[in-house]
Amino acid sequence: MSLARLAGGSRLARLLAGGELHRQPERKNSACLHSTMPPCDFVPEKYESYPYEDMLKIRRQYVSPSLVPYYKKPLLLHQGHMQWLFDHEGRRYLDLFSGIATVGVGHCHPKVTAAAQKQLGRLWHTASVYMHPAFQEYAKKLTSLLPDQLKVIYLTNSGSEANDLAMILARLYTSNFDIIGFRGGYHGNSPYTMGMTAIGNYKHGLHNGFGCQTTMLPDVFNGPWGGSQCRDSPVQTIRKCSCSSGSCHAKDCYIEQFKDTLATCVPKKIAGFIAEPIQGVNGAVQYPVGFLKEAFELVRERGGVCIADEVQTGFGRTGSHFWGFEGHGVVPDIVTMAKAIGNGFPMAAVITTAEIAGSLAQGVPFNTFGGNPVACVVGSAVLDAIEEDGLQKNCKVVGTHLLQKLAKLRDEFEIVGDVRGKGLMIGVQMVKDKESRQPLPAEEISEIFEDCKDMGVLFGKGGIYFQTIRIKPPMCITREDADFAVDVFHAALTRHKERRAATK
């Protein structure tokens, strides 16, 4: 039976049955969609590796089964250009997940690619026991973008390593041990950071987390308190707000919970507190305005240092500021960063004060590839591209436009519970219904994902129950791209609604 007949002959089903929506992206496809896929002048090379079925066999035999692909028929990606990805058959997709917020300035950005190619012909690697220009130049360039006291840098290969080192620094500097984080936070999957990561799917039942405590997440949509005036976003939750002028009731209540954690779960002196300015893996969860500032003060009163995990929020993605912590009006003691720092090249950084960095000198800290010449040149080119291409401003303009359009879908569809975020860091939480706020079943979200992919748009998943659509695209996407993505999402939601109606 055809897909069109299965769905009652809907226009969307006929569109999906032929798969023409992304094969011929420049053509007006159907009255179901109000926009076509924006044009792209880039022509991918012909795919000449293993056939698709052979690739599947190799993956099943040699790749860890824990690495589960998103789609029923996994995508075999071949090439990328800015906000676009191309599969082995030449089909084009608008990438709204960018390798989990990693490809910041665009796939194979010409400036970054050229810088890497030039350095590869000069010097691939030398350890930090020697000097080379790229390391020193990049250290100065990157630290100049942070507050004056944050001027000492340590380069690593991943966000997990960076957060691992930040936890070590906090403990060495304060001579205390306990560290606090939020439930729903994701800080890595190394033995140290797994203790701070508070999403059950990323736990492995192994010994971890000694000295790590989590506190209630100040989530104004899912938590017990919150409403329509609580978060720093162009789109607020639809919950009614109990805030009065000049104060936030939700913030005050969550601060009391934070104080309770300090009073009951940790000693009088602690090593620190780690938080993402906006939670990433948990689905762009934002805290009430003013919460992080008060929490930092409480931590410092206990002798602890404050760590900002900028792995996903950094490098202009939130639009209003270059770093996520700036939007909260705070200055951390330690900042960690990764992902967009190298536009997909494996690198990360920890930046802190001279005093805190000095505590590490009692031993011999060493990272073989931290400060690699190619990584430093790539990182420098990324910073140039962000500035020259106006990507922070683009995040604010296009991100606000996208958030506002998604909010209209929330008003139209019962299963769209919350739309939140800043800039191009966006979460769309899917629910059974707005009253219960219970997560939409995973199989239903997967069907929506499949439909969006078939129409040429790739989203991400997040949240405790993978109930949130994560939108973290390359920061170069346009308003036209955003309009197309929303139109595709609208079509997929419409089809979901038809499926529900057909089963009643």
Side-chain angles (χ1 to χ4, degrees):
M1 185 179 291
S2 70
L3 178 60
R5 288 186 63 191
L6 282 170
S10 72
R11 288 171 295 187
L12 174 60
R14 290 195 296 274
L15 206 59
L16 291 171
E20 293 300 313
L21 210 119
H22 56 272
R23 289 195 183 114
Q24 299 181 32
E26 319 309 337
R27 189 188 69 192
K28 193 75 173 180
N29 295 290
S30 167
C32 184
L33 287 178
H34 305 296
S35 60
T36 58
M37 181 179 281
C40 173
D41 295 333
F42 181 80
V43 178
E45 300 170 2
K46 183 180 178 181
Y47 175 79
E48 295 179 338
S49 188
Y50 292 104
Y52 182 85
E53 291 302 322
D54 289 354
M55 283 291 194
L56 275 181
K57 290 178 182 177
I58 291 170
R59 184 180 181 100
R60 289 166 183 158
Q61 184 172 355
Y62 298 108
V63 177
S64 170
S66 64
L67 301 175
V68 181
Y70 265 171
Y71 304 106
K72 294 176 182 176
K73 183 180 179 182
L75 279 177
L76 176 53
L77 295 174
H78 167 52
Q79 202 162 355
H81 174 73
M82 302 307 282
Q83 64 267 50
W84 304 105
L85 287 170
F86 299 84
D87 71 9
H88 67 294
E89 294 180 318
R91 292 187 180 94
R92 179 160 61 102
Y93 301 88
L94 177 61
D95 180 12
L96 291 191
F97 201 35
S98 63
I100 316 178
T102 300
V103 180
V105 300
H107 292 282
C108 300
H109 189 288
K111 185 179 184 70
V112 180
T113 300
Q117 289 171 336
K118 184 177 179 180
Q119 185 60 41
L120 283 168
R122 180 182 293 155
L123 181 66
W124 279 38
H125 177 71
T126 183
S128 56
V129 294
Y130 305 108
M131 288 199 298
H132 60 83
F135 190 3
Q136 280 67 231
E137 291 168 3
Y138 181 60
K140 183 177 180 181
K141 193 172 187 176
L142 181 59
T143 55
S144 71
L145 298 171
L146 286 117
D148 289 343
Q149 61 267 49
L150 297 170
K151 284 293 179 272
V152 180
I153 189 170
Y154 194 98
L155 295 178
T156 67
N157 306 314
S158 70
S160 291
E161 285 182 312
N163 284 328
D164 211 76
L165 178 59
M167 293 172 68
I168 292 171
L169 281 167
R171 286 166 168 163
L172 285 174
Y173 177 70
T174 63
S175 298
N176 301 321
F177 194 70
D178 289 73
I179 299 177
I180 298 173
F182 286 133
R183 292 167 201 151
Y186 182 88
H187 302 287
N189 231 205
S190 65
Y192 249 27
T193 59
M194 198 186 299
M196 295 313 311
T197 289
I199 300 176
N201 290 307
Y202 298 96
K203 300 286 192 179
H204 295 286
L206 301 172
H207 177 73
N208 69 82
F210 185 50
C212 296
Q213 301 290 343
T214 58
T215 189
M216 179 183 284
L217 172 61
D219 181 346
V220 301
F221 178 72
N222 296 293
W225 305 289
S228 58
Q229 302 177 47
C230 295
R231 64 189 180 204
D232 177 21
S233 173
V235 178
Q236 298 289 339
T237 176
I238 57 175
R239 292 176 70 181
K240 291 182 180 180
C241 200
S242 55
C243 299
S244 58
S245 179
S247 67
C248 179
H249 173 73
K251 183 262 295 179
D252 293 341
C253 290
Y254 287 117
I255 282 293
E256 288 304 312
Q257 289 296 311
F258 194 81
K259 289 179 179 177
D260 183 70
T261 298
L262 289 170
T264 60
C265 299
V266 293
K268 291 182 179 180
K269 293 293 183 180
I270 62 174
F273 167 57
I274 184 169
E276 303 156 271
I278 299 174
Q279 285 193 336
V281 174
N282 199 23
V285 175
Q286 295 176 275
Y287 323 128
V289 173
F291 176 90
L292 216 53
K293 192 169 187 176
E294 289 194 30
F296 273 28
E297 292 170 357
L298 291 169
V299 169
R300 286 169 175 153
E301 287 173 5
R302 292 291 190 109
V305 299
C306 299
I307 305 167
D309 179 341
E310 294 277 353
V311 169
Q312 293 196 36
T313 49
F315 299 92
R317 179 164 290 278
T318 63
S320 61
H321 299 87
F322 199 82
W323 305 110
F325 67 77
E326 295 175 295
H328 293 274
V330 298
V331 177
D333 303 295
I334 303 172
V335 180
T336 61
M337 55 196 76
K339 294 192 182 292
I341 192 174
N343 203 47
F345 196 93
M347 63 182 299
V350 178
I351 298 181
T352 187
T353 66
E355 292 77 16
I356 294 174
S359 63
L360 202 62
Q362 58 188 274
V364 182
F366 189 72
N367 186 298
T368 300
F369 296 103
N372 171 275
V374 181
C376 291
V377 165
V378 165
S380 183
V382 166
L383 296 179
D384 291 342
I386 292 171
E387 181 178 3
E388 293 167 11
D389 297 353
L391 295 184
Q392 181 181 326
K393 181 179 179 181
N394 193 63
C395 284
K396 183 175 183 179
V397 172
V398 176
T400 299
H401 174 72
L402 181 52
L403 277 160
Q404 290 170 343
K405 294 205 72 171
L406 289 167
K408 293 180 180 178
L409 299 189
R410 178 195 61 190
D411 298 339
E412 181 178 351
F413 293 94
E414 181 67 14
I415 63 169
V416 180
D418 194 31
V419 174
R420 54 183 177 253
K422 280 182 68 178
L424 288 174
M425 187 165 184
I426 298 170
V428 181
Q429 186 166 328
M430 310 299 290
V431 296
K432 289 181 179 178
D433 58 79
K434 288 183 172 66
E435 184 176 353
S436 71
R437 287 175 280 157
Q438 292 297 308
L440 189 69
E443 59 272 18
E444 295 185 44
I445 292 178
S446 293
E447 288 172 342
I448 293 170
F449 259 64
E450 294 283 347
D451 287 345
C452 289
K453 181 262 293 180
D454 289 341
M455 289 185 280
V457 177
L458 307 180
F459 292 107
K461 296 180 185 179
I464 304 298
Y465 306 102
F466 297 111
Q467 78 277 31
T468 301
I469 307 293
R470 295 173 66 192
I471 302 174
K472 282 124 188 215
M475 299 188 294
C476 57
I477 70 163
T478 66
R479 286 172 66 99
E480 291 73 24
D481 298 332
D483 289 341
F484 174 71
V486 172
D487 202 20
V488 164
F489 192 38
H490 183 279
L493 292 171
T494 300
R495 182 158 186 251
H496 175 271
K497 193 173 182 179
E498 291 175 356
R499 281 193 296 263
R500 268 194 171 184
T503 59
K504 288 182 179 178

